[in-house]
Amino acid sequence: MRKTYLAAVAVAAMFAAVPALAQTSEITIGITTTTTGPAAALGIPERNALDFVPKEIGGVPLKVIVLDDGGDPATATTNARRFVTESKADIIMGSATTPPTIAVSNVANEAGIPHFGLAPFPVSPERAKWSVVMPQPVPIMGKVLYEHMKAHNIKTVGYIGYSDSYGDLWFNDLKAQGVPMGISIVDEERFARPDTSVTGQVLKLVAANPDAILVGASGTAAALPQTELRDRGYKGLIYQTHGAASMDFIRIAGKAAEGVIMASGPVMSPETQADSALTKKPGLALNTAYEAKYGPNSRSQFAGHSYDAFELLKRVIPVALKTAKPGTVEFREAIRQALLTEKDMAASQGVYNFTEKDRSGLDDRARIILTVKDGKYVPAQ
């Protein structure tokens, strides 16, 4: 009887010690992004921006693990599962494009780990508890483009976008917001991210002769329809989404970029913001550091996504540390709760106020509208 009692005490002691053993002296952050493949122009700035994020927060060191997913949802899923099972990550970030970000969100929500999406993606109810979206949601960015169209008497629009969930997000938003504002969609064309030609699609768009064309693409691939449209003689306005907002777009599109109308996060032009703008200081800090290391005019909207995730962590981690230790389930939950309770979290791309239902937490302060003049981004009129 005494042996049975002692065995029971030993087992109880062992399980009681598990949470303590799970605690660590550092906060582990797993990041999967796209540094190879067609979307590398998005993921590389996200990785580069990690040079300028804090090494510790609240006196606790950060252990940051970065893996490449090549833009493939299956690889992103594998990376996310490695963060869960091998790294015991407290926080997961990624990826650089929409399809793999959805995949990462699914894993994070299954495991109960806070997830910062670094690409726009739909947050369905089953992904809403643990995932937040760092980039501006499409409806916020789309509205500023449609308002510009309306102000410039645009009545008909053609659409060309990716044949994936990112392209769907923008086309659906154009229908949801643009059509009620009096804009008619006269043609819809799609292309795959790795495509090297969109001649067939562009010829159909030019034949439809819309007043303007909206390109639902991102990274350097957004320059492909931009260039082809101008080469085929299209004279109307071309609108680009915030997924194209980088200096690489101008570099690839060249003269064809002139006059483009582009939605963008404020990080692309913090110098033109009012001193009272909460996004100005972090935007200047990021761009100054980034361009000092990677060259003049190397700034990128995508760098802002990963940089801003750490700006938010600077606010929420100290709050979470008051009630829980890294490496525990309780710490993950404390991070999740702090994302809801902390308000007006300023970053380079916007001011974040998350709720259980609003997982982007952004408002109109997260957007500006730019054009290209003489090879440089300037505010659009």
Side-chain angles (χ1 to χ4, degrees):
M1 186 72 173
R2 179 174 175 77
K3 289 182 179 179
T4 302
Y5 172 77
L6 290 174
V9 170
V11 170
M14 178 182 71
F15 279 103
V18 167
L21 290 172
Q23 294 177 11
T24 66
S25 58
E26 58 190 5
I27 298 167
T28 301
I29 302 171
I31 304 174
T32 176
T33 189
T34 305
T35 54
T36 59
L42 286 66
I44 289 174
E46 290 180 354
R47 182 197 62 193
N48 291 347
L50 301 177
D51 293 342
F52 318 114
V53 302
K55 305 304 180 188
E56 66 174 41
I57 297 177
V60 180
L62 304 183
K63 180 182 179 181
V64 179
I65 304 167
V66 183
L67 299 178
D68 175 34
D69 55 41
D72 176 42
T75 304
T77 298
T78 299
N79 290 348
R81 294 201 184 283
R82 285 182 61 186
F83 295 147
V84 174
T85 59
E86 297 177 17
S87 306
K88 311 299 182 185
D90 297 294
I91 297 156
I92 296 176
M93 298 181 187
S95 177
T97 61
T98 300
T101 300
I102 293 172
V104 175
S105 177
N106 288 335
V107 174
N109 277 269
E110 289 172 6
I113 299 177
H115 166 235
F116 293 75
L118 303 182
F121 74 102
V123 182
S124 57
E126 63 270 18
R127 294 193 291 265
K129 182 174 182 180
W130 292 97
S131 288
V132 295
V133 188
M134 294 308 299
Q136 301 87 342
V138 169
I140 285 180
M141 305 305 273
K143 186 179 179 183
V144 73
L145 294 181
Y146 314 140
E147 288 173 344
H148 188 276
M149 293 178 186
K150 186 174 181 179
H152 288 76
N153 202 34
I154 300 296
K155 301 295 185 183
T156 58
V157 172
Y159 178 79
I160 179 169
Y162 285 147
S163 54
D164 63 19
S165 48
Y166 184 82
D168 293 343
L169 281 173
W170 272 98
F171 185 68
N172 292 338
D173 189 69
L174 175 60
K175 291 190 295 183
Q177 291 199 91
V179 171
M181 294 172 68
I183 297 168
S184 297
I185 304 170
V186 297
D187 188 35
E188 175 196 357
E189 303 292 334
R190 299 298 185 102
F191 68 104
R193 291 175 185 264
D195 286 353
T196 57
S197 173
V198 290
T199 299
Q201 298 94 317
V202 164
L203 288 174
K204 292 178 183 178
L205 284 166
V206 173
N209 194 32
D211 297 330
I213 292 173
L214 173 63
V215 181
S218 59
T220 55
L224 181 62
Q226 179 83 23
T227 303
E228 188 74 16
L229 283 163
R230 292 309 188 205
D231 287 348
R232 295 291 170 176
Y234 182 72
K235 302 297 184 184
L237 287 176
I238 302 176
Y239 289 82
Q240 290 276 355
T241 73
H242 58 313
S246 72
M247 298 305 297
D248 281 337
F249 174 82
I250 297 177
R251 178 177 58 83
I252 298 296
K255 291 183 178 180
E258 292 289 311
V260 67
I261 304 297
M262 183 177 291
S264 172
V267 73
M268 289 303 293
S269 187
E271 297 87 352
T272 61
Q273 297 171 43
D275 289 341
S276 59
L278 296 180
T279 52
K280 184 169 187 172
K281 183 177 179 180
L284 288 173
L286 171 58
N287 289 347
T288 299
Y290 198 96
E291 294 185 346
K293 181 167 184 177
Y294 294 104
N297 297 320
S298 58
R299 67 183 61 181
S300 167
Q301 167 141 321
F302 310 107
H305 299 330
S306 55
Y307 180 84
D308 285 357
F310 283 82
E311 290 295 286
L312 269 56
L313 290 179
K314 285 159 63 174
R315 288 283 299 271
V316 301
I317 283 177
V319 176
L321 287 171
K322 293 178 181 178
T323 58
K325 299 294 185 182
T328 65
V329 172
E330 291 79 8
F331 184 69
R332 297 173 180 176
E333 174 63 18
I335 290 286
R336 189 184 77 81
Q337 290 292 338
L339 283 169
L340 297 172
T341 57
E342 290 297 293
K343 298 302 178 184
D344 289 334
M345 294 184 283
S348 73
Q349 291 278 58
V351 181
Y352 292 83
N353 290 282
F354 297 111
T355 69
E356 294 281 11
K357 293 184 177 181
D358 183 358
R359 306 308 286 166
S360 71
L362 293 170
D363 54 27
D364 289 352
R365 291 174 290 182
R367 68 185 192 186
I368 59 176
I369 189 165
L370 301 172
T371 188
V372 175
K373 184 178 181 181
D374 298 329
K376 297 181 179 179
Y377 286 114
V378 298
Q381 301 300 315

